[in-house]
Amino acid sequence: MLKKILTRVIVLLLVFAAGVVVFSHLRNREETVETVEMEAAVLPVLYMQEGELLINPMFGNKAQMDGISVRDHLTLLPTGRDLTVAVDTKGQTISSMIYTVKNTAGTEIVENSTIKSFSEDNGYQKAQFHLDTPILMNQEYILQFEVKLEGGTTAYYYTRLIQRSGVSLTDYLKFADMFYQTCMNAEAAQGLSAYMESNSSNPNTSFQKVDIHSSLEQITWGNMNAQLAKTGALRVKEINETTASVTVDYMISSQDDDGNVEYYTVIDFYRMRKSSDRVVLLDFERCATQVFDADLPVLTNTGINLGILPEDTQYMANTAGDIVAFVANGDLWSYNRSADKCTKVFSFREKGGYELDERYNYGQHDIHIVRVSESGDITFVVYGYMNRGIHEGETGVAVYNFQAEPQTAQEVLFVPATVSYPMLRQSVDVLSYVSTEGMLYLYLNDSLYQLNLADGNYQVLQEGIAAECFVVSENQANVAWMAANSASEATKITVMSLETQETLSVTAGEGQKVRALGFIHNDFVYGIANDGDIITDISGNQTFAMNTIRILGSDGALRKEYHQDGVYVTGVTISDGLLEMNRVVRQGDGYAETAQDHIMNGEQQAEEAVTSRMATIGDRRQQQMVLEFSDTGHSEKLLNTEARFSVRSASSALNITYGLGAEAVYFVYAKGELQSMMSSPAEAILAADDQVGVVLNQNQAYVWERGNRPTSAQIDPAALPEAFRNASLNEAELQAALGEGETLMNLTGCSLDSVLYLVAQGHPVVARLNADGKQNVVIVGYDQFSNTLIYDPQTQQTTPMGEQDSTNAFAAQGNLFLSYM
């Protein structure tokens, strides 16, 4: 017995000793983890010169980018084909520079040459170069600069190149440059009222969003006493024979009554056209966003004032509600109310002077907060262009874990990308979830990816998920996809928990279809429609009339079911546990709208401990974003700290590229940004028309531009393929007549005015017309009197029809239009 006791004592002592050794090792290892401040930016910045102005700032990329995705700005190539590039070296020495002109797909090089001679000019290294090879008119190309720095670093810089007939930029650029600077002086700005369309319906209560309908006082910054802190960078977004769109990025500062200085990043958007003697402002929008600074008096009795930020500012609190993380102007902050501490968790801005260096305010990235623990640890994702640090000049997705106690943000995985931030955002905004088991989930190129944070390896969990067939829960922890090419064809839905990887299936009954509608918290919502209730009208608009709505728990159990005889649900809106349903009833061969209804899904989530609201605090800054806590409290002294960084990043086996699928893709650009990517050209044109933008196809050729067409145009019907000349509405027949290299486009639902752009480009439009006994016709032109020129295949004659008469006649037949690109 004594021997057994001694043996146990010895074993326990050995275990204790081993534990001490392991603990000491782990502690020492933790203490020796190197933490650093983020490295300063080193890459030069390039500009194109237009007259006396430097425009289109270009930021360095460590890898060559997919040309289809790079469309930050356009450089207009003069008729003489001479260009000037200016380099702000930022203290670096350039060893060599090569320029390359290529098509947008990057598959054909038009010209490639070395720039040999630079001259010093006002702090910039400038070089002129001449393109020997002509380029096609009205076709975009990529202009790439390959810059080698002393020390071996290579960086690539991009702008788009286009040549337009009889187009000049100078007046447009001078106007935009004048306008934003004049707004800094209320007295001098009185003359700007002639360009505005101010009206009394504009509330004029926020500097965050200002537009052409705002008051003159609002566009001149009211009582903010705004001062220009960083001069504007002009970017040409669109330019054609009719209009030009230009943005200006700049920084302003403002002082409060106590002399505290605030900084704001500002983006102005101008859409203009020229009259005989002046520039006419067609549209103007301004977005101002405050740079959050915890050294300012930001605390209130009920929470924290984030300043002038968008209403949809992202934030997330822990369960206890005493710690909240928020994203402000591209920076991630954490506010610990109990400790009266505010921590800058992640930012590309350096301490002091960031307002003077454009590299630190280049806002081509965003941050997604995944979770906030009770202790204040934060898991978050940074995606887009990396302005500085070990990934400076790279675009990609980085996963970070922030530990509140040692104040350390550790990068655990970086996934590089060769697509630009605007295109990357289209996917990452949909899904970028990090599970507690260390898996990153992304939705890329119609596929669901799972990446292991430990080793960077990945697997594709499901391929071929169309965007309209994929839904994600609000916290992104649950996803569902339909096994179909479109949301109206699904007979099976798969629902997956990204935490457990468990799945459940929903299958349609015979003669039915199912549609994934979304999630209420973690419960899945879907609808059931009988095949006979899915109706497509003459315009091609489909009504997916669901007779039943079901809500399933994560275990697959039915939580609720909604069904009313004779009433159908066509769409839903989900918010805070409430499911609102748009409903219709049968009417003849179609449906008519009826009153909405709603479902409350069981128990609601507990009232949020931290909420946001837009509040007017004084008249200097007008509306501001405020985060409010459930209890009151205030501290005069807020401890302001900044996280340090450590990198133990796994090397990703995945490189995010642009996937050119079998289906055509249409890009909608408006207000100077990529707004959406769509598979339907008609929907893309409708969206661009609504936002006063343009549509490009996957080869970045112009599909549609708002208002940019000559006063008259006409196509010879004899030159048309037979199927078009016969006004066939059979899409397969028309596509066969076109052959390879040209894409048939169903433009049903677009206005007549919109499709005339295609006619002006030399592409006929087949249409259904039920006037004077005619059925199918071909729109072959329009004249200077706005008459539509219509070719009738039965009479083989082209006749004019008045603008309003033709508009009404085509609309009565559902605006059924077919053309090609």
Side-chain angles (χ1 to χ4, degrees):
M1 179 65 70
L2 180 61
K3 184 177 181 181
K4 287 184 178 180
I5 294 173
L6 288 173
T7 302
R8 287 184 179 180
V9 170
I10 292 171
V11 169
L12 289 172
L13 288 172
L14 289 173
V15 170
F16 175 75
V20 170
V21 171
V22 172
F23 175 77
S24 299
H25 172 71
L26 291 175
R27 184 179 179 185
N28 290 336
R29 189 178 68 175
E30 183 175 309
E31 288 177 351
T32 57
V33 169
E34 183 180 0
T35 61
V36 296
E37 291 186 357
M38 189 180 291
E39 295 93 332
V42 297
L43 294 178
V45 180
L46 273 58
Y47 296 85
M48 302 304 296
Q49 182 159 333
E50 181 72 28
E52 298 178 354
L53 294 171
L54 296 184
I55 66 171
N56 294 348
M58 292 169 274
F59 297 83
N61 298 272
K62 292 288 184 63
Q64 294 195 56
M65 305 296 287
D66 288 338
I68 289 175
S69 77
V70 181
R71 197 178 186 273
D72 190 23
H73 38 61
L74 289 170
T75 293
L76 184 64
L77 182 66
T79 53
R81 301 201 298 276
D82 292 316
L83 293 168
T84 300
V85 62
V87 184
D88 184 348
T89 63
K90 303 296 184 182
Q92 300 292 315
T93 301
I94 296 176
S95 300
S96 67
M97 180 185 288
I98 298 171
Y99 76 85
T100 303
V101 178
K102 50 188 174 181
N103 67 347
T104 52
T107 55
E108 297 178 8
I109 294 179
V110 176
E111 187 166 315
N112 175 269
S113 186
T114 300
I115 298 177
K116 299 178 180 178
S117 177
F118 286 87
S119 60
E120 176 76 20
D121 183 6
N122 197 27
Y124 294 89
Q125 293 290 321
K126 295 185 178 180
Q128 292 185 337
F129 59 102
H130 174 79
L131 265 61
D132 294 323
T133 309
I135 62 174
L136 296 174
M137 297 292 290
N138 303 324
Q139 174 64 54
E140 289 188 8
Y141 292 80
I142 299 169
L143 175 57
Q144 172 190 285
F145 296 96
E146 180 181 342
V147 178
K148 291 187 182 296
L149 303 179
E150 193 175 72
T153 299
T154 300
Y156 300 90
Y157 298 78
Y158 295 90
T159 185
R160 288 298 176 102
L161 197 63
I162 194 167
Q163 193 165 39
R164 298 278 199 179
S165 176
V167 174
S168 172
L169 268 174
T170 304
D171 290 342
Y172 292 130
L173 293 172
K174 286 184 176 179
F175 178 87
D177 194 54
M178 173 278 297
F179 196 100
Y180 90 90
Q181 295 196 61
T182 305
C183 285
M184 299 294 153
N185 186 326
E187 185 176 343
Q190 294 302 308
L192 298 182
S193 59
Y195 298 101
M196 302 297 293
E197 299 175 10
S198 304
N199 60 52
S200 57
S201 63
N202 193 300
N204 293 304
T205 56
S206 173
F207 289 118
Q208 209 279 313
K209 289 287 187 183
V210 173
D211 61 31
I212 197 169
H213 303 297
S214 300
S215 67
L216 182 64
E217 181 182 12
Q218 197 73 4
I219 70 163
T220 55
W221 300 101
N223 296 324
M224 279 190 67
N225 188 27
Q227 304 295 314
L228 192 61
K230 173 69 177 176
T231 55
L234 291 94
R235 290 176 169 86
V236 180
K237 295 296 186 174
E238 304 293 342
I239 178 73
N240 57 45
E241 291 82 355
T242 307
T243 64
S245 294
V246 174
T247 62
V248 188
D249 297 13
Y250 55 103
M251 290 197 76
I252 65 166
S253 64
S254 177
Q255 282 191 12
D256 64 14
D257 293 338
D258 297 321
N260 298 301
V261 181
E262 308 146 357
Y263 288 96
Y264 301 80
T265 60
V266 188
I267 302 175
D268 283 5
F269 170 80
Y270 303 85
R271 183 170 179 264
M272 303 159 283
R273 68 172 174 83
K274 289 181 186 174
S275 66
S276 57
D277 59 348
R278 57 176 286 187
V279 169
V280 178
L281 187 60
L282 300 174
D283 194 14
F284 167 74
E285 286 191 9
R286 174 190 293 154
C287 177
T289 310
Q290 188 166 350
V291 179
F292 182 80
D293 184 352
D295 286 331
L296 297 175
V298 295
L299 293 183
T300 69
N301 287 330
T302 56
I304 185 168
N305 180 9
L306 307 187
I308 298 178
L309 291 179
E311 193 168 356
D312 60 354
T313 292
Q314 182 190 177
Y315 70 94
M316 183 182 293
N318 64 353
T319 305
D322 63 337
I323 299 174
V324 62
F326 57 90
V327 179
N329 205 336
D331 302 338
L332 175 62
W333 288 82
S334 172
Y335 169 49
N336 187 322
R337 188 168 174 80
S338 301
D340 289 324
K341 181 170 70 173
C342 208
T343 303
K344 184 189 286 186
V345 176
F346 187 95
S347 175
F348 285 127
R349 294 184 174 93
E350 64 175 358
K351 292 179 180 178
Y354 58 79
E355 69 276 8
L356 303 177
D357 193 326
E358 60 271 51
R359 294 173 299 179
Y360 297 120
N361 290 295
Y362 184 47
Q364 293 292 290
H365 75 277
D366 206 347
I367 297 172
H368 171 224
I369 306 169
V370 178
R371 69 178 55 84
V372 179
S373 76
E374 291 312 293
S375 62
D377 295 347
I378 305 170
T379 300
F380 63 98
V381 175
V382 180
Y383 58 97
Y385 179 85
M386 305 295 161
N387 304 40
R388 56 186 287 209
I390 62 170
H391 296 298
E392 181 189 357
E394 294 183 72
T395 298
V397 179
V399 179
Y400 281 87
N401 287 327
F402 168 71
Q403 292 180 297
E405 185 57 38
Q407 295 276 282
T408 302
Q410 183 182 74
E411 179 189 298
V412 292
L413 180 68
F414 181 78
V415 187
T418 56
V419 297
S420 64
Y421 162 68
M423 191 171 289
L424 182 64
R425 182 182 60 193
Q426 296 289 320
S427 296
V428 180
D429 276 359
V430 174
L431 179 66
S432 54
Y433 183 75
V434 181
S435 73
T436 54
E437 297 299 315
M439 296 293 178
L440 169 65
Y441 294 89
L442 298 171
Y443 175 69
L444 305 167
N445 297 329
D446 294 344
S447 295
L448 176 61
Y449 284 81
Q450 179 196 68
L451 293 91
N452 192 319
L453 299 183
D455 56 21
N457 290 325
Y458 73 93
Q459 59 177 319
V460 180
L461 299 181
Q462 183 65 41
E463 293 180 322
I465 310 173
E468 64 181 86
C469 295
F470 190 63
V471 297
V472 182
S473 64
E474 186 177 8
N475 64 2
Q476 298 195 0
N478 298 279
V479 299
W481 63 86
M482 293 173 263
N485 293 323
S486 76
S488 300
E489 302 171 358
T491 57
K492 181 182 178 181
I493 304 171
T494 301
V495 186
M496 173 180 277
S497 164
L498 300 184
E499 279 295 337
T500 65
Q501 295 187 44
E502 293 178 351
T503 63
L504 63 90
S505 295
V506 173
T507 305
E510 186 175 350
Q512 293 182 326
K513 297 291 187 294
V514 288
R515 175 174 287 186
L517 300 174
F519 291 85
I520 299 181
H521 307 318
N522 292 318
D523 293 341
F524 175 59
V525 184
Y526 73 98
I528 303 171
N530 293 325
D531 290 344
D533 295 332
I534 304 171
I535 296 176
T536 302
D537 65 18
I538 193 173
S539 300
N541 300 312
Q542 186 183 78
T543 302
F544 191 86
M546 296 171 281
N547 58 69
T548 304
I549 303 295
R550 288 179 180 164
I551 302 175
L552 301 182
S554 56
D555 57 357
L558 181 64
R559 293 286 178 87
K560 283 199 173 180
E561 181 174 284
Y562 178 89
H563 173 87
Q564 285 191 9
D565 291 339
V567 181
Y568 303 87
V569 178
T570 56
V572 303
T573 302
I574 300 172
S575 178
D576 297 327
L578 178 67
L579 181 75
E580 294 187 87
M581 298 174 288
N582 297 324
R583 305 189 307 160
V584 296
V585 294
R586 282 278 191 176
Q587 187 177 77
D589 294 333
Y591 293 97
E593 292 183 1
T594 189
Q596 286 187 328
D597 202 351
H598 66 271
I599 302 174
M600 297 294 293
N601 185 40
E603 295 182 5
Q604 300 302 296
Q605 286 186 325
E607 185 177 341
E608 293 183 6
V610 179
T611 57
S612 66
R613 70 181 180 95
M614 301 302 292
T616 300
I617 304 174
D619 64 352
R620 184 177 66 88
R621 288 189 291 171
Q622 297 183 352
Q623 284 192 348
Q624 296 149 65
M625 167 63 68
V626 177
L627 297 182
E628 294 187 326
F629 291 75
S630 56
D631 59 340
T632 58
H634 189 274
S635 172
E636 294 295 330
K637 180 100 174 142
L638 180 65
L639 178 62
N640 182 9
T641 64
E642 186 166 349
R644 291 174 66 85
F645 293 87
S646 69
V647 178
R648 283 183 178 168
S649 182
S651 224
S652 172
L654 176 67
N655 193 327
I656 301 172
T657 59
Y658 174 68
L660 192 62
E663 299 295 324
V665 177
Y666 299 90
F667 300 84
V668 179
Y669 289 90
K671 311 298 182 186
E673 296 183 352
L674 175 63
Q675 299 292 337
S676 56
M677 297 162 57
M678 298 180 170
S679 58
S680 165
E683 291 180 5
I685 289 174
L686 287 169
D689 194 19
D690 182 60
Q691 299 173 78
V692 195
V694 301
V695 179
L696 289 87
N697 66 11
Q698 56 198 18
N699 296 319
Q700 297 297 285
Y702 283 88
V703 174
W704 187 86
E705 299 174 84
R706 173 75 173 263
N708 183 33
R709 55 184 174 89
T711 55
S712 63
Q714 187 167 359
I715 302 168
D716 181 7
L720 300 179
E722 185 177 357
F724 277 85
R725 193 166 57 251
N726 292 335
S728 171
L729 289 176
N730 184 309
E731 294 190 35
E733 187 178 341
L734 290 175
Q735 183 61 69
L738 292 174
E740 295 183 4
E742 294 176 276
T743 303
L744 184 74
M745 297 190 298
N746 189 327
L747 304 179
T748 298
C750 294
S751 67
L752 172 63
D753 183 69
S754 292
V755 300
L756 289 180
Y757 174 86
L758 278 299
V759 177
Q761 302 303 307
H763 304 309
V765 176
V766 180
R768 177 173 290 170
L769 179 65
N770 189 21
D772 299 327
K774 299 172 184 174
Q775 293 297 321
N776 301 344
V777 297
V778 188
I779 303 172
V780 294
Y782 55 91
D783 61 24
Q784 65 268 32
F785 305 109
S786 299
N787 295 309
T788 307
L789 304 181
I790 297 173
Y791 174 76
D792 183 354
Q794 296 180 11
T795 63
Q796 299 184 15
Q797 298 295 315
T798 299
T799 56
M801 179 181 279
E803 178 182 20
Q804 196 58 54
D805 288 341
S806 55
T807 297
N808 294 340
F810 288 122
Q813 296 303 306
N815 281 338
L816 200 163
F817 299 126
L818 296 173
S819 188
Y820 65 90
M821 180 70 192

